[in-house]
Amino acid sequence: QFLPLRPQFPSCSPRKEKFHKSQHWGYCNNVAMLLGEDKPGIGGEPLPGQKLKPEYSVFPKGMGSDAPAWVAFDKQVLSFDAYFEEEVPDKNQELYRIRHCKIYFYLEDDTIQVTEPQVKNSGIPQGTIVRRHRIPLPPPHEDQFYTIHHFNINIEVIFYGRRYKIINCDQFTKNFLRKMGVRLNPPADRPDDPYTKKRQQILESMNPLRPYERIDTLKQFLEHDGEVLRFFCVWDDPESMFHDPRELVLRYYLSDDTIDIKEIMPVNSGRDAVPLFLRRDKLPKYAPTGLYQPGTITSRTVLNVFGKLVGNRTRYILDNRKTGAVHQEFYRDSDLKIGAVINVWGRKIILCDCDEFTKEYYRTKYGIEDFTPVTYKAPPPPKPEKTFPPYTGFGSEEDSLCSCMGLLLKRPKKDLKKFMEKDRSGMESNILRFLAKLVTDSPIDKDRKFIISYFLSDDTISVFEQAQQNTGIPGGKFLERGRIKEPGQELFKSEPSKYFKAQDLFVGARVCFHGHNFLLVDADEYTLNYMEKHANEFSKADIGIVFKKLKDKALPHSREIRQVFAAADPAHSKVIEYEPFRNLIASITDGAFSEHEIMTLARYYRVKEEYEMDLHFLLAVAQEQLKKNSFDSFEQLSAVFIYNDREKQGVLPHEICRTICKSFKLPLSDDDLQDLLTMFEDDHKQVEYKKFVDGLNWRKNQIPAFQTIKVPLKNEDDSSGQPPSLPVKGVKYLCLLDDLFGKEE
């Protein structure tokens, strides 16, 4: 076997002799020193045996990259195909052996590596012959190393006494050598190893004495591993007491053509549950003579050559002709289809349906398109409707209903998700407040005023009466917080009762709480804003529905309506007050509009008040609120704005800015935040967020104390503790008419 040759240097090698020749002693400041080999002798003449390296490269300066070699030629390798002859002195069958190898030249550091590809059953340790390093030239130039200029096609190189013949190289190597100015030789032929060629001829001409029968199932396993056809079957067991069909699931494994069957056990069937109805194995189609004895069916036929003629010696060979072999057919995928009846060890099983993968498999392989399932059982009877006994009057209806759900009593479940979403959070109270009056003929009760609060977190209602002077009624809590049933329902019934919802409360609605009739006459600003933001839940606050309803009523009388509105505005200011506007809308719709719908329309076309348009005033109020709540996360707020500005234009849409401010929980009312964002919008309705954050930053851009008359905000009560009587002060009726009938010429 071949062992890699290592360079053997004698005690006084040529390298050492060359060192003695090229190095010499000199004097510096009267001190003897060993001079370098590149220093010439007297007069600049080279010393005996000294070879001076050229000062400049053969390439002109300025050509190529200035990067170092380990950067410019990183991961660039020249690959050469070569071979060498190795003597075989201990065998008569071969005198030498030709071994093919690869020579790799690494351009980054001029290192060389020689490897030999693995050859099956060669008996030679192959792999790396010469590890990667710089290889010196053969003597007498062993002080130098191989470079790129020493390589070409159809030449010989010597590495440590072994002669390699380069026969070819790859395309990258050819292109690189041509760019270096090397003229490539024509490729040489690749010789064959005579001994390997001779053994191959012998093996090809040899017939085995014991023929081997190859049974290869690896290809089928690799192609179809994990692919299973699934059929839904039924077996009508004739021996069962009630002849009920038994549902089965047949699985056909495409990787090895095996089948297993699992039974679907219905609930309370009375049968013992078993893992499998039929364990996984090949399923024979039929047995003409009954079951075969063990060992009758084998994968190979074996012949006894000697029999009992030669003592106890036996010799067996495989029978290629398979004399006396029993051939048995098994179920394949082509035998399985919907409606087919298969024999599972004497049991007739009908294939009724299959899954989607099985349908796609048969559609692709066999072109089958009809997969109509076979009905084998009657449709299940409809489930009887579950009825509950009527309410007994003890406890709440929900608590009594839970006692009918199971034997173990459980308390009624609360909607925790709704509670977490609609509970008070920061400035969001999630409470709808309405001003109400009693609907009564009593002169004492007519003037009583109530605050009805609807809690969105759990749909409960509380009623609070406002205290008034000289009425004799102390005021305070009128109705405890709780859910209130709608009037007119039977008390003792099986169906759950209906309770008041948030959609039942709006300005102008009449509600009855435990026999007390209330008329909702007004609502606070938060309630109106909440209902307008969630217009999909509150139809009375949806401007789209209200506008369409008004348009259907007013479109046939457009000219008369314009004249009526013009008569209500003698000054031609294009604005009228709320009361005349309300009366006109009520007369146009013949009372079909509720008070809340009229308020929604008026608020949409309202005239903003002067304090809403004063940016300096709004910023001063906002900074005061932020300072009181110790909010100073302006850098984080600005960073989030910049992150959402993907195009880096310095502007963002109004809704995105509002959402970001809500995520930081700015202690500002929703109206003030909306007005501030509107003030910083550009011509394209985009908010300049940098100016917006700078205006709110009370630490860097604090607005000095201002002297101004305090204007009551919209959500602030007056001295009597009552909400403001008018929702808006002025309505731009001309804009409403233009939207309804179009602009007048």
Side-chain angles (χ1 to χ4, degrees):
Q1 294 183 353
F2 169 73
L3 293 176
L5 296 177
R6 297 183 180 273
Q8 301 293 332
F9 297 107
S11 59
C12 185
S13 62
R15 180 187 299 271
K16 189 175 291 186
E17 293 177 1
K18 184 65 69 175
F19 171 79
H20 290 306
K21 292 179 181 179
S22 60
Q23 302 290 342
H24 63 279
W25 292 88
Y27 290 90
C28 181
N29 296 330
N30 296 326
V31 177
M33 299 181 64
L34 187 65
L35 302 179
E37 61 176 314
D38 294 336
K39 185 174 182 180
I42 299 175
E45 296 294 333
L47 298 174
Q50 184 181 23
K51 294 181 180 180
L52 298 180
K53 295 181 180 179
E55 184 177 356
Y56 301 101
S57 172
V58 294
F59 301 100
K61 189 175 182 180
M63 294 181 63
S65 175
D66 294 335
W70 56 273
V71 174
F73 300 111
D74 184 30
K75 297 181 181 179
Q76 296 188 14
V77 184
L78 305 185
S79 175
F80 297 92
D81 298 329
Y83 72 91
F84 63 91
E85 294 183 3
E86 181 186 20
E87 294 184 359
V88 184
D90 300 334
K91 293 182 67 175
N92 296 330
Q93 292 85 356
E94 54 178 340
L95 300 178
Y96 66 93
R97 184 175 296 163
I98 294 179
R99 300 174 61 177
H100 300 276
C101 59
K102 286 274 190 180
I103 300 177
Y104 299 105
F105 185 89
Y106 295 85
L107 296 172
E108 54 181 325
D109 53 0
D110 293 349
T111 54
I112 300 173
Q113 181 183 7
V114 182
T115 60
E116 182 180 9
Q118 296 283 346
V119 179
K120 188 177 181 181
N121 297 329
S122 65
I124 303 173
Q126 296 169 323
T128 301
I129 298 176
V130 180
R131 63 177 177 83
R132 178 181 172 182
H133 67 290
R134 296 186 69 188
I135 299 178
L137 294 173
H141 305 290
E142 66 272 15
D143 59 331
Q144 302 179 22
F145 298 92
Y146 277 99
T147 62
I148 187 62
H149 303 287
H150 294 96
F151 288 88
N152 202 337
I153 302 176
N154 204 358
I155 64 170
E156 293 182 352
V157 292
I158 300 175
F159 298 156
Y160 299 119
R162 176 173 286 170
R163 190 178 300 273
Y164 295 86
K165 178 65 177 290
I166 300 177
I167 58 177
N168 206 345
C169 63
D170 60 2
Q171 191 61 38
F172 172 77
T173 305
K174 292 179 181 179
N175 296 337
F176 188 86
L177 292 177
R178 289 193 184 102
K179 291 180 181 179
M180 293 290 295
V182 178
R183 179 173 297 178
L184 296 178
N185 301 327
D189 296 334
R190 179 174 180 174
D192 295 329
D193 183 26
Y195 180 72
T196 305
K197 188 175 181 181
K198 182 180 179 181
R199 282 187 55 84
Q200 187 67 28
Q201 294 175 356
I202 295 173
L203 292 175
E204 290 177 356
S205 62
M206 183 183 298
N207 292 324
L209 297 178
R210 297 184 181 182
Y212 174 73
E213 182 181 359
R214 181 178 179 85
I215 301 175
D216 186 12
T217 59
L218 179 61
K219 179 181 178 182
Q220 181 182 0
F221 174 79
L222 295 177
E223 289 180 352
H224 300 289
D225 182 31
E227 297 182 359
V228 182
L229 306 180
R230 186 170 60 165
F231 291 88
F232 304 100
C233 320
V234 63
W235 171 43
D236 190 2
D237 187 5
E239 298 181 359
S240 63
M241 181 180 298
F242 302 103
H243 296 281
D244 53 336
R246 301 176 66 172
E247 299 181 25
L248 308 172
V249 176
L250 183 145
R251 292 177 292 191
Y252 183 90
Y253 297 86
L254 295 172
S255 59
D256 54 359
D257 298 326
T258 55
I259 293 175
D260 70 355
I261 301 177
K262 182 178 177 63
E263 184 176 3
I264 301 176
M265 289 291 182
V267 181
N268 298 328
S269 63
R271 298 192 182 97
D272 294 332
V274 293
L276 287 175
F277 184 81
L278 176 69
R279 67 178 178 84
R280 180 176 175 181
D281 199 357
K282 288 191 174 183
L283 181 63
K285 287 187 176 180
Y286 54 85
T289 59
L291 299 178
Y292 294 102
Q293 295 295 326
T296 304
I297 301 176
T298 58
S299 59
R300 296 178 177 89
T301 303
V302 183
L303 298 180
N304 188 349
V305 179
F306 294 150
K308 299 182 180 179
L309 299 177
V310 189
N312 293 329
R313 293 181 57 188
T314 58
R315 185 178 181 87
Y316 298 96
I317 64 173
L318 292 177
D319 183 11
N320 285 339
R321 306 210 176 255
K322 297 184 178 180
T323 305
V326 178
H327 299 282
Q328 189 176 18
E329 295 185 7
F330 297 94
Y331 280 104
R332 304 294 301 271
D333 56 347
S334 58
D335 302 320
L336 305 179
K337 61 181 180 180
I338 296 178
V341 180
I342 62 174
N343 183 6
V344 181
W345 301 106
R347 295 167 176 83
K348 303 298 182 181
I349 293 181
I350 305 174
L351 305 183
C352 300
D353 201 358
C354 60
D355 60 1
E356 290 299 326
F357 173 78
T358 307
K359 293 178 183 178
E360 186 63 27
Y361 175 82
Y362 281 94
R363 188 181 293 113
T364 304
K365 186 174 181 179
Y366 298 104
I368 299 175
E369 296 293 340
D370 186 14
F371 298 101
T372 305
V374 177
T375 57
Y376 59 91
K377 60 179 181 180
K383 292 184 178 180
E385 185 179 358
K386 192 174 183 179
T387 58
F388 299 100
Y391 175 55
T392 59
F394 295 96
S396 64
E397 290 188 12
E398 293 80 7
D399 187 49
S400 299
L401 186 61
C402 288
S403 64
C404 303
M405 296 296 185
L407 296 177
L408 299 178
L409 300 182
K410 296 181 181 180
R411 61 186 302 177
K413 291 185 178 180
K414 295 183 178 180
D415 193 352
L416 294 179
K417 181 180 178 182
K418 181 178 180 180
F419 179 80
M420 296 300 294
E421 291 178 353
K422 299 297 184 179
D423 194 20
R424 177 186 291 274
S425 176
M427 302 293 291
E428 293 288 336
S429 64
N430 289 314
I431 301 175
L432 307 183
R433 294 183 176 88
F434 297 90
L435 179 64
K437 293 183 178 180
L438 282 173
V439 180
T440 179
D441 296 332
S442 173
I444 299 176
D445 297 335
K446 278 186 177 180
D447 296 332
R448 297 173 65 181
K449 295 183 179 180
F450 302 87
I451 300 296
I452 298 178
S453 301
Y454 187 92
F455 298 85
L456 296 169
S457 59
D458 54 359
D459 298 328
T460 55
I461 299 175
S462 67
V463 181
F464 182 87
E465 183 177 3
Q466 293 181 348
Q468 301 184 44
Q469 295 180 356
N470 301 325
T471 59
I473 301 175
K477 184 186 295 184
F478 183 81
L479 180 63
E480 184 73 27
R481 176 180 174 179
R483 299 176 67 190
I484 302 178
K485 296 180 182 180
E486 294 182 0
Q489 300 184 76
E490 184 181 353
L491 179 60
F492 304 105
K493 62 182 184 302
S494 301
E495 296 79 13
S497 299
K498 296 181 180 180
Y499 294 86
F500 278 102
K501 299 180 181 179
Q503 290 76 13
D504 300 328
L505 304 181
F506 54 89
V507 179
R510 292 175 179 266
V511 292
C512 180
F513 296 161
H514 302 302
H516 298 275
N517 295 317
F518 292 95
L519 174 64
L520 307 185
V521 297
D522 207 346
D524 63 358
E525 188 66 22
Y526 175 82
T527 303
L528 297 175
N529 287 334
Y530 182 89
M531 297 176 73
E532 290 172 0
K533 289 176 189 174
H534 301 81
N536 57 335
E537 301 177 13
F538 303 93
S539 59
K540 303 294 183 181
D542 191 346
I543 185 62
I545 297 176
V546 174
F547 185 81
K548 185 177 182 302
K549 186 177 178 181
L550 177 63
K551 190 174 183 179
D552 295 340
K553 291 277 187 181
L555 194 59
H557 312 285
S558 60
R559 183 178 298 275
E560 294 83 354
I561 292 174
R562 285 185 181 273
Q563 294 175 357
V564 170
F565 273 99
D569 182 22
H572 303 288
S573 61
K574 302 179 182 180
V575 177
I576 59 177
E577 295 183 354
Y578 176 75
E579 281 298 332
F581 176 81
R582 176 194 173 282
N583 297 332
L584 288 175
I585 296 297
S587 62
I588 291 172
T589 58
D590 296 331
F593 267 35
S594 64
E595 194 70 28
H596 200 116
E597 291 173 316
I598 299 176
M599 292 174 61
T600 301
L601 202 64
R603 285 169 56 84
Y604 187 78
Y605 292 99
R606 71 181 184 272
V607 178
K608 292 188 177 181
E609 301 178 10
E610 294 182 359
Y611 74 90
E612 293 180 295
M613 307 299 291
D614 189 357
L615 177 61
H616 190 274
F617 180 80
L618 282 177
L619 287 177
V621 173
Q623 285 192 4
E624 188 69 20
Q625 291 289 334
L626 296 176
K627 192 173 182 180
K628 286 181 178 179
N629 291 271
S630 302
F631 181 87
D632 55 357
S633 303
F634 300 106
E635 294 183 0
Q636 294 86 336
L637 181 62
S638 179
V640 174
F641 277 124
I642 295 173
Y643 175 77
N644 284 271
D645 186 10
R646 304 295 185 181
E647 299 180 359
K648 307 301 180 185
Q649 295 181 353
V651 293
L652 284 173
H654 186 99
E655 284 301 321
I656 294 179
C657 295
R658 178 180 173 274
T659 304
I660 294 173
C661 294
K662 286 292 183 182
S663 65
F664 276 83
K665 297 182 179 180
L666 290 179
L668 299 175
S669 65
D670 201 49
D671 279 346
D672 292 343
L673 180 59
Q674 292 278 17
D675 293 338
L676 280 172
L677 292 174
T678 305
M679 292 297 181
F680 288 98
E681 287 182 352
D682 57 4
D683 298 336
H684 302 286
K685 301 298 182 181
Q686 300 284 324
V687 179
E688 299 177 1
Y689 57 82
K690 189 177 184 303
K691 295 182 179 179
F692 172 72
V693 176
D694 292 341
L696 295 179
N697 195 339
W698 54 272
R699 289 190 177 276
K700 295 183 179 179
N701 305 315
Q702 185 174 5
I703 297 178
F706 51 89
Q707 299 292 333
T708 178
I709 300 175
K710 186 177 181 181
V711 183
L713 299 179
K714 290 181 287 185
N715 56 355
E716 185 176 306
D717 297 345
D718 56 11
S719 58
S720 63
Q722 301 178 3
S725 57
L726 297 179
V728 294
K729 291 186 177 180
V731 182
K732 296 183 287 186
Y733 71 92
L734 195 59
C735 297
L736 171 63
L737 297 178
D738 292 342
D739 292 341
L740 282 174
F741 315 119
K743 292 188 177 181
E744 189 177 13
E745 297 180 0

